[in-house]
């Protein structure tokens, strides 16, 4: 089978196309023929490391956590899947050398999720890290449910920073599916249009005026949950717009690796800052995210593509390096690798 691997850290040139043996599933595992592999920022950051030439945890790594395809074989004891099932997968490369940038991947059943027949493989490969991260960000707030379902966030106002990004896009869709009123901030008119297509109720261009005033105009009592991609640049804004006992869920460090907080303004409203990363969030949180995202997918709430607010950029497997470069450069939309038909 064809696979992309790298054996040292560095720029995208370390990614190489190889032929490898097709693996067999052990007990409790399934083998998936990958149609699309999803590329996330965490993929190029892991590949790049903190300096070139660093030793990896495995002799060779196949990148990418997310993907979608068809079950090709099942191991002993597997009853939830049969050959031919359409599925999406997540956290494929977590503590393992084999991600989804290859024609076949073997995974534990806990990382494999049914994909409805009416949902495209491009949607399935776009879920995983972005959608489960968004789920976690929306389910850690004091006074609000730890699981998502229709009506779970009824009465909540959610602010999504960077609604045109993959996590922001998923957060808009999940929050709206769960019944929240959704406000998002973006930087251009083009991204305003994408956020509207994703389903945001109110969109604020943070380069076009007083962002805090614009948010307070539509949410005079403040926002209850902030899904935050840039905590450093947005710290003062978040403090200015949150409601009493609000939670700011931080999943990235865009705009700087540190954040300074004004103590009194945050203390006065009992603000809560929740940092999150999927690698250490725990099995229960991952399972809850997987199951709730799967329910949203079944309800048709998780579309991708321009019409759904997240343009898709597709690359063939042999151009995985170019796909990494596109994500690293900040391309708007979701980058996918087409691995097979």
């Amino acid at each position: 089978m064809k696979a992309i691997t790298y054996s040292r850290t560095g720029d995208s040139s370390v990614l190489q196309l190889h032929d490898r043996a097709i693996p067999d599933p052990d007990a409790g595992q399934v083998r998936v023929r990958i149609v699309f592999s999803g590329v996330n920022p965490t993929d190029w950051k892991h590949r790049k490391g903190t300096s070139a030439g660093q030793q990896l945890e495995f002799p060779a790594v196949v990148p990418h956590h997310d993907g979608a395809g068809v079950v090709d074989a099942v191991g002993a004891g597997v009853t939830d899947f049969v050959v031919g099932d359409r599925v999406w997968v997540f956290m494929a490369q977590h503590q393992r050398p084999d991600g989804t940038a290859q024609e076949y991947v073997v995974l534990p059943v806990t990382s494999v999720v049914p994909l409805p027949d009416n949902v495209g493989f491009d949607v399935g490969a776009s879920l995983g890290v972005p959608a489960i991260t968004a789920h976690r960000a929306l389910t850690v707030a004091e006074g609000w449910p730890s699981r998502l379902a229709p009506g779970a966030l009824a009465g909540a106002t959610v602010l999504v920073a960077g609604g045109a990004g993959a996590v922001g896009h998923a957060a808009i869709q999940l929050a709206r599916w769960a019944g929240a009123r959704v406000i998002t901030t973006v930087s251009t008119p083009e991204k305003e249009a994408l956020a509207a297509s994703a389903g945001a109720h109110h969109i604020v261009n943070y380069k076009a005026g007083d962002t805090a005033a614009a948010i307070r105009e539509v949410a005079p009592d403040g926002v209850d949950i902030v899904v935050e991609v840039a905590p450093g640049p947005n710290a003062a804004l978040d403090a200015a717009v949150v409601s009493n006992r609000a939670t700011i869920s931080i999943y990235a460090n865009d705009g700087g690796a540190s954040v300074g907080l004004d103590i009194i303004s945050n203390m006065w409203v009992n603000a809560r800052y929740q940092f999150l990363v999927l690698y250490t969030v725990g099995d229960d949180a991952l399972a809850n995210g997987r199951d709730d995202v799967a329910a949203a997918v079944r309800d048709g709430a998780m579309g991708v593509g321009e019409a759904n607010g997240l343009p898709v950029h597709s690359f063939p497997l042999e151009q995985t390096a170019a796909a990494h470069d596109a994500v690293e450069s900040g391309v708007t939309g979701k980058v996918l690798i087409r691995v097979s038909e």
Side-chain angles (χ1 to χ4, degrees):
M1 67 171 182
K2 301 295 185 183
I4 295 292
T5 69
Y6 61 98
S7 57
R8 66 184 190 278
T9 58
D11 64 23
S12 62
S13 67
V14 302
L15 298 169
Q16 299 294 318
L17 183 66
H18 293 286
D19 282 311
R20 309 180 94 200
I22 298 176
D24 293 319
D26 290 330
Q29 296 180 328
V30 300
R31 185 171 70 206
V32 178
R33 177 177 62 82
I34 296 295
V35 175
F36 279 114
S37 175
V39 188
N40 296 299
T42 188
D43 297 315
W44 70 258
K45 291 175 182 178
H46 184 273
R47 181 217 75 222
K48 191 172 186 177
T50 55
S51 62
Q54 288 177 301
Q55 185 176 357
L56 301 174
E57 60 268 51
F58 301 102
V61 171
V62 177
H64 308 166
H65 289 287
D66 301 337
V70 179
V71 173
D72 176 74
V74 299
V78 174
T79 58
D80 293 338
F81 298 97
V82 297
V83 172
D85 282 348
R86 304 170 80 254
V87 295
W88 59 277
V89 305
F90 69 100
M91 300 300 283
Q93 198 204 322
H94 181 50
Q95 298 179 335
R96 304 173 65 254
D98 290 334
T100 63
Q102 56 187 336
E103 291 180 299
Y104 297 90
V105 64
V106 168
L107 294 167
V109 293
T110 52
S111 292
V112 182
V113 193
L115 184 69
D117 289 342
N118 63 339
V119 178
F121 290 115
D122 56 343
V123 175
S126 301
L127 298 169
V129 169
I132 297 176
T133 296
H135 178 277
R136 179 65 175 172
L138 293 167
T139 55
V140 292
E142 181 183 5
W144 296 100
S146 60
R147 298 292 300 272
L148 295 183
L153 294 180
T157 299
V158 172
L159 172 62
V160 177
V167 175
H169 173 263
I172 291 171
Q173 292 187 325
L174 284 171
R176 177 145 187 169
W177 173 69
R181 178 174 59 158
V182 183
I183 305 169
T184 189
T185 55
V186 296
S187 59
T188 67
E190 292 76 16
K191 291 180 178 180
E192 290 181 44
L194 292 175
S197 296
H201 296 95
H202 304 282
I203 302 156
V204 177
N205 187 330
Y206 63 81
K207 293 187 176 181
D210 188 331
T211 304
I215 293 170
R216 280 288 183 180
E217 183 177 352
V218 297
D221 295 327
V223 300
D224 304 298
I225 302 169
V226 180
V227 180
E228 186 56 79
V229 66
N234 290 342
L237 170 66
D238 292 339
V241 301
V242 292
S243 63
N244 192 49
R245 297 168 61 204
T247 293
I248 298 96
S249 298
I250 297 172
Y251 70 88
N253 61 349
D254 288 9
S258 62
V259 56
L261 301 177
D262 179 76
I263 295 174
I264 294 301
S265 61
N266 283 284
M267 182 184 293
W268 191 251
V269 294
N270 285 267
R272 172 183 293 188
Y273 280 79
Q274 173 71 55
F275 291 84
L276 63 102
V277 66
L278 295 188
Y279 303 123
T280 55
V281 75
D283 291 342
D284 288 345
L286 285 176
N288 289 343
R290 173 199 65 202
D291 294 345
D292 293 352
V293 169
V297 171
R298 290 194 299 270
D299 285 351
M302 304 296 291
V304 300
E306 191 91 23
N308 292 294
L310 190 69
V312 172
H313 310 278
S314 180
F315 294 77
L317 184 64
E318 59 269 23
Q319 293 181 18
T320 297
H324 274 227
D325 291 342
V327 176
E328 186 172 359
S329 69
V331 65
T332 298
K334 184 64 186 179
V335 172
L336 301 178
I337 304 297
R338 179 177 280 282
V339 181
S340 67
E341 296 301 319

